[in-house]
Amino acid sequence: MITSADHEKDIKLSAGLQRVALISLIALFLWCLAWEIFLAPLRPGSLLFLKAVPLVFAFRGVSKGSLYTMQWASMLVLLYLMEGVVRVASDPPGPSILMAWVEIFLATTFFIAAIMYVHPAKRAARAAKAAKVLLKAEQVAATKSSARGDTDTLK
């Protein structure tokens, strides 16, 4: 388990989910490169392999377990999921359809791992926000009751 110092309480984040997310992200990157350069390019000399470049920007943050990076990378990977679905539905029969299914699998794996990794921190943040709002409401009530001279309000 990895602990995060973002909140007062330590949040337990799963190192296993982080590893799954990182491995699937790297695999998706390599798969996109191999697919568009060697395995089943749309046409010779196509620059479609550049679609993999945005994934590189998430490597560092995902490898460190950054919650922020996991969140935006999970949104980014949805583009690769959509591309895979479109290519499964629209490409002519051949190896490209199998490549698209692999892309769908890798993108879905990353998305689920990233969302599950971030979930405990999001839950803790919501609880901390609710506690802060409750504390503020109690302070306001205490201030109002002391202004009126009422001492039984907080009992």
Side-chain angles (χ1 to χ4, degrees), residues 5-19:
D6 291 339
H7 304 288
E8 236 174 78
K9 293 180 179 179
D10 282 345
I11 302 165
K12 301 287 185 186
L13 300 174
S14 171
L17 287 172
Q18 180 191 357
R19 254 184 259 114

Side-chain angles (χ1 to χ4, degrees), residues 28-38 41-43 45-57 76 79-80 83 87 103:
L28 181 60
F29 171 75
L30 294 174
W31 187 255
C32 288
L33 286 179
W35 178 8
E36 299 300 345
I37 295 173
F38 307 113
L42 282 179
R43 56 192 161 277
S46 171
L47 295 178
L48 200 53
F49 69 90
L50 293 174
K51 72 181 183 186
V53 171
L55 295 172
V56 172
F57 297 113
L76 173 68
L79 296 172
Y80 296 87
E83 185 215 10
R87 291 191 64 177
E103 182 179 41

